[in-house]
Amino acid sequence: MAVSSLSLSWVSTTSSNKLNLPHSNDLPRDTALSSRNNTITCSRETASSDESRCKRRLLLLKVGALTASLLPARSLLAQEIPANYRAFVDSEDGYSYVYPSEWREFDFRAHDSAFKDKFMQLHNVRVRFIPTDKKDIHDMGPMEEVIYYLVNHVYAAPNQVADIINTQEKTVDGKNYYTIEFQLRSPNFSTVSFATIAIGNGRYYTMIVGANERRWRRYRDRLKVVADSFKMVRVILPQFLQIKDSIEQINSLDGHCKLNGRLGWKMLFALK
C-alpha cells in the first residue's frame, strides 16, 4: 500500500502488509530516508474554508504521528540489509528476514513465504508458522530434546536419514531463537539446511534455508546470513488501519494541502 508524497492519495487496491526491501545502497537518492523537511503546508484560502483546513491539518498530524510509530523498526531494518540481499517484512504476521537478491518468490505448500534460486531449485528459504499459546521457545522443553525431535520427526521424511551438525541459541531484543544446522540424506540426494525457530506474537515460527549437500561448503556462509537474519517484529496492522482511515478522511475534505519534503516516501516505506 502506498501513500503519495504529494497528494496523500490512496493509490493501491491490495491489502498486503508484506514488503520486499532492497539494500539501502540500492534505493534511489530521492527516496533516501531522511528526518529533515518533514513539514506540512497549506495554501491560503477564503475564511469559509478555515474549518476544513484546520480539520485537514489535525488529520495530517495524526497520520504523521502514527507513521512515526512504525518507522523506527523499518528504518533500522533498511540499514541492516547486507549488500546483495533483499529484506522481506511481513508486518501483519510479525516477522522479517533477508534473502539473496537474485532469488525469486515462489509458492511452497503450507508456507507463508518462500524464495528460491533461479537455477538451483534446492537452494531456497521458506517460512511457516502455527498458532500457539506458548510465549517462548523455552516453553517447548529442553533445547536438546526439542531439536532432536524436530530434526528427526518433523523435518526428516520417513525415507531420510537425519544428522544434526550444529545448534545455536541467541537472544535478540529479549526474544529467544534456536538455529539448527542439519543434514537430510535420501536415497537419491542429500541436503543440508539451517532451521531457525522462535515463538512470539502468538505464533510458532519456523524458517528453513538450505541447499544441495554437494554445494553446501561453497554456499554455507551466505545461507547462514539468511538464517541469522530471521526476526520477530511488532505486528502493526491496527496502526495501519488507523492511518488508512485518517487518509480517507483527509481526502474527503476540501482544500489544497500537501506534504513537503520526504515524509511522504517515509510513509510509503512504512505502509507499502
Side-chain angles (χ1 to χ4, degrees):
M1 292 186 178
V3 178
S4 168
S5 61
L6 294 179
S7 63
L8 282 177
S9 299
W10 192 253
V11 298
S12 176
T13 59
T14 176
S15 60
S16 174
N17 233 15
K18 302 181 180 183
L19 293 172
N20 277 293
L21 305 177
H23 181 264
S24 57
N25 290 341
D26 298 329
L27 293 173
R29 181 173 300 178
D30 60 349
T31 57
L33 292 178
S34 172
S35 60
R36 299 189 297 273
N37 301 324
N38 295 329
T39 59
I40 300 171
T41 61
C42 291
S43 60
R44 295 184 179 274
E45 299 178 2
T46 63
S48 61
S49 64
D50 286 347
E51 182 179 357
S52 175
R53 295 206 312 273
C54 182
K55 289 181 179 179
R56 183 183 287 263
R57 184 184 296 274
L58 290 173
L59 286 168
L60 284 167
L61 291 173
K62 178 181 178 181
V63 170
L66 287 169
T67 305
S69 71
L70 309 183
L71 286 173
R74 299 299 181 84
S75 300
L76 179 61
L77 178 61
Q79 295 170 6
E80 292 178 346
I81 301 174
N84 301 318
Y85 289 82
R86 293 179 65 89
F88 178 84
V89 184
D90 186 343
S91 56
E92 182 175 347
D93 295 311
Y95 69 92
S96 68
Y97 60 92
V98 304
Y99 62 93
S101 56
E102 73 275 13
W103 286 16
R104 297 294 179 263
E105 189 169 13
F106 76 110
D107 291 328
F108 198 100
R109 184 178 179 181
H111 285 70
D112 188 63
S113 64
F115 295 86
K116 67 178 179 180
D117 187 277
K118 292 186 295 183
F119 306 107
M120 297 176 286
Q121 300 299 305
L122 292 178
H123 290 216
N124 62 69
V125 58
R126 65 262 192 196
V127 175
R128 66 185 301 177
F129 57 83
I130 58 174
T132 181
D133 293 330
K134 294 180 171 60
K135 303 300 182 183
D136 187 87
I137 50 175
H138 292 163
D139 298 337
M140 299 173 64
M143 178 180 178
E144 294 78 8
E145 295 179 11
V146 170
I147 290 175
Y148 178 86
Y149 178 83
L150 289 174
V151 173
N152 287 276
H153 301 289
V154 178
Y155 305 154
N159 66 333
Q160 291 180 315
V161 177
D163 181 29
I164 299 173
I165 301 172
N166 190 27
T167 61
Q168 175 187 354
E169 179 179 3
K170 66 178 181 181
T171 302
V172 180
D173 297 329
K175 301 172 183 178
N176 297 308
Y177 300 78
Y178 293 160
T179 298
I180 312 151
E181 183 178 1
F182 63 97
Q183 181 175 6
L184 298 178
R185 295 191 298 274
S186 302
N188 298 323
F189 67 94
S190 177
T191 62
V192 186
S193 304
F194 292 111
T196 299
I197 63 173
I199 290 178
N201 300 320
R203 299 166 174 84
Y204 165 42
Y205 299 95
T206 300
M207 167 202 267
I208 294 182
V209 54
N212 188 300
E213 187 270 337
R214 290 179 300 174
R215 299 186 176 94
W216 183 250
R217 181 174 298 180
R218 179 179 176 182
Y219 291 99
R220 180 189 182 278
D221 290 346
R222 194 178 189 203
L223 300 182
K224 185 65 160 57
V225 172
V226 180
D228 288 342
S229 72
F230 181 84
K231 291 182 181 178
M232 295 178 287
V233 300
R234 179 164 55 108
V235 175
I236 64 168
L237 185 58
Q239 294 97 316
F240 170 80
L241 294 177
Q242 290 180 56
I243 293 174
K244 178 179 181 294
D245 181 65
S246 296
I247 291 170
E248 290 174 345
Q249 292 181 56
I250 292 171
N251 289 334
S252 70
L253 296 173
D254 293 330
H256 303 284
C257 291
K258 65 181 180 178
L259 286 179
N260 189 22
R262 296 172 179 173
L263 178 58
W265 194 87
K266 279 189 173 184
M267 294 171 67
L268 170 61
F269 184 79
L271 296 178
K272 184 177 177 183

